[in-house]
Amino acid sequence: MASRGRKIVHIALLAGLVVYAVVAIRYCSEREAGLRCTGVRIEVQDSARSGFVTPGLVRQWLSDSGLYREGAALRSIDVHAVEQLVERQDYVRQADAYTAIDGLLHIVLNQRHPVLRIVSEAGHNFYIDSTLVLLPPHPDCTADVPAVSGRFSFAFPPGHFGPLDEKKFPQEQELLHNLLNFVHQVDTDRFLGALIAQIYYDGREIRLVPRVGSQTIRFGSIADSVLVRQRLQKLSRFYRRSFAEGWWRSAAEIDLRFRGQVVCKGMPVPPADEPERAEKHN
């Protein structure tokens, strides 16, 4: 009998919970149906990292689109269309939009973060993020990232931004991927990161301009990531070991393309009683 009584109590409690849930849902639904939108709350989750997207800018997008109007019925706001609008903007990586019983339209978004800037002699000027999305220069914000200038033969015109079609631009994708890998490896060495002032692409290979000395550094191709790492390590060792000596400062070019060697070219002819140091082995 006791067991049967407990079952009845459990059934009664369950029925009560179901009734309560139905009433609560109906109450909230009726209340939400009468709600008016009293404002918009925008959260840029990674605003401390970069400031390409601001709440004010998002509000401007909403105002220009006509998708949001303060005082409109909360249910009439198409949150999916709002998400699409925000995610179409160049520097937005992902966005979520929803309305709540507080009467607000909520927008939460993450930005795209540039990791490299490309400036070509043909007029291209864009950032790229880690996923190879091309981003236009921002009128009010500049990213402190490495820049690569030079003779780029891109098949897309200046002013082309957004994701690159891998089938349409395979060579461009490969080159940009290699450049990303190159600057990433440079940045992992704090010494080299401080040493290199400029990166130049001559249409085939990379040349570097250091902050010290009067020479350029002929790095060579960056297609092989293993070779890139080896050459960067060789360059770092060369400067660290030779920095205090200073003899290399007058070289016109430092060439890293030879296995096991750092070759200094275009140096003045040394006096007869001094050994020639046109080539430095490493």
Side-chain angles (χ1 to χ4, degrees), residues 8-51:
I8 293 173
V9 170
H10 290 163
I11 292 172
L13 288 173
L14 181 60
L17 288 173
V18 171
V19 171
Y20 174 80
V22 170
V23 172
I25 291 172
R26 182 176 179 181
Y27 170 77
C28 292
S29 179
E30 290 177 351
R31 183 181 176 186
E32 184 182 0
L35 284 176
R36 298 286 171 177
C37 187
T38 58
V40 57
R41 178 171 295 167
I42 300 162
E43 180 184 354
V44 183
Q45 292 190 325
D46 46 7
S47 58
R49 183 175 174 184
S50 59

Side-chain angles (χ1 to χ4, degrees), residues 52 57 91 127 136-142:
F52 290 97
L57 190 57
Y91 280 90
Y127 293 111
H138 196 284
D140 302 315
C141 189
T142 302

Side-chain angles (χ1 to χ4, degrees), residues 134-150:
L134 278 57
L135 305 170
H138 196 284
D140 302 315
C141 189
T142 302
D144 184 17
V145 296
V148 182
S149 60

Side-chain angles (χ1 to χ4, degrees), residues 3 5 7 11 39 59 77 105 136-137 145 164 183 189 205 210 219-220 242 267 274 279:
S3 175
K7 288 182 179 180
I11 292 172
R59 287 188 173 89
I77 297 176
L105 167 63
V145 296
L164 278 180
V183 298
D189 187 314
E205 58 184 37
F219 191 88
S242 307
M267 296 181 63
E274 291 186 10
E279 186 172 295

Side-chain angles (χ1 to χ4, degrees), residues 48-62:
R49 183 175 174 184
S50 59
F52 290 97
V53 181
T54 63
L57 190 57
V58 178
R59 287 188 173 89
Q60 186 62 51
W61 297 337
L62 290 173

Side-chain angles (χ1 to χ4, degrees), residues 7-276:
K7 288 182 179 180
I8 293 173
V9 170
H10 290 163
I11 292 172
L13 288 173
L14 181 60
L17 288 173
V18 171
V19 171
Y20 174 80
V22 170
V23 172
I25 291 172
R26 182 176 179 181
Y27 170 77
C28 292
S29 179
E30 290 177 351
R31 183 181 176 186
E32 184 182 0
L35 284 176
R36 298 286 171 177
C37 187
T38 58
V40 57
R41 178 171 295 167
I42 300 162
E43 180 184 354
V44 183
Q45 292 190 325
D46 46 7
S47 58
R49 183 175 174 184
S50 59
F52 290 97
V53 181
T54 63
L57 190 57
V58 178
R59 287 188 173 89
Q60 186 62 51
W61 297 337
L62 290 173
S63 176
D64 293 342
S65 70
L67 292 174
Y68 161 79
R69 182 173 57 84
E70 191 168 324
L74 201 63
R75 281 188 171 183
S76 68
I77 297 176
D78 187 342
V79 293
H80 180 64
V82 170
E83 287 180 355
Q84 290 183 320
L85 166 72
V86 177
E87 289 184 342
R88 281 198 302 269
Q89 310 307 315
D90 292 311
Y91 280 90
V92 176
R93 180 173 60 86
Q94 185 270 334
D96 291 312
Y98 62 93
T99 56
I101 202 167
D102 59 5
L104 297 175
L105 167 63
H106 294 260
I107 300 174
V108 182
L109 63 90
N110 296 95
Q111 302 175 80
R112 292 190 181 278
H113 299 286
V115 293
L116 177 65
R117 188 168 189 171
I118 302 292
V119 181
S120 80
E121 295 176 0
H124 298 86
N125 186 0
F126 57 86
Y127 293 111
I128 56 176
D129 71 357
S130 59
T131 62
L132 297 183
V133 173
L134 278 57
L135 305 170
H138 196 284
D140 302 315
C141 189
T142 302
D144 184 17
V145 296
V148 182
S149 60
R151 298 196 295 269
F152 291 92
S153 300
F154 294 133
F156 54 85
H160 177 94
F161 304 115
L164 278 180
D165 188 328
E166 186 175 359
K167 294 182 179 179
K168 191 174 182 179
F169 305 111
Q171 295 180 342
E172 287 78 3
Q173 276 229 337
E174 182 180 6
L175 175 58
L176 293 177
H177 174 78
N178 290 338
L179 285 170
L180 280 181
N181 175 65
F182 176 75
V183 298
H184 173 71
Q185 293 202 49
V186 170
D187 286 344
T188 58
D189 187 314
R190 294 181 62 184
F191 178 81
L192 288 181
L195 173 72
I196 297 172
Q198 183 181 351
I199 305 171
Y200 183 82
Y201 179 70
D202 68 3
R204 294 179 300 176
E205 58 184 37
I206 289 292
R207 296 176 182 268
L208 307 173
V209 178
R211 299 184 190 278
V212 294
S214 57
Q215 63 282 144
T216 59
I217 301 169
R218 190 168 182 180
F219 191 88
S221 172
I222 57 172
D224 187 331
S225 61
V226 174
L227 192 59
V228 166
R229 183 173 66 253
Q230 292 172 348
R231 288 179 180 174
L232 287 174
Q233 291 171 347
K234 183 168 61 173
L235 179 64
S236 181
R237 287 195 301 267
F238 169 75
Y239 272 103
R240 291 175 188 272
R241 294 175 182 176
S242 307
F243 199 86
E245 300 176 19
W247 59 266
W248 49 269
R249 292 176 183 265
S250 58
E253 181 181 271
I254 295 177
D255 198 333
L256 303 175
R257 295 174 302 155
F258 303 94
R259 183 183 297 274
Q261 295 180 332
V262 176
V263 179
C264 295
K265 300 178 179 180
M267 296 181 63
V269 178
D273 58 342
E274 291 186 10
E276 185 175 355

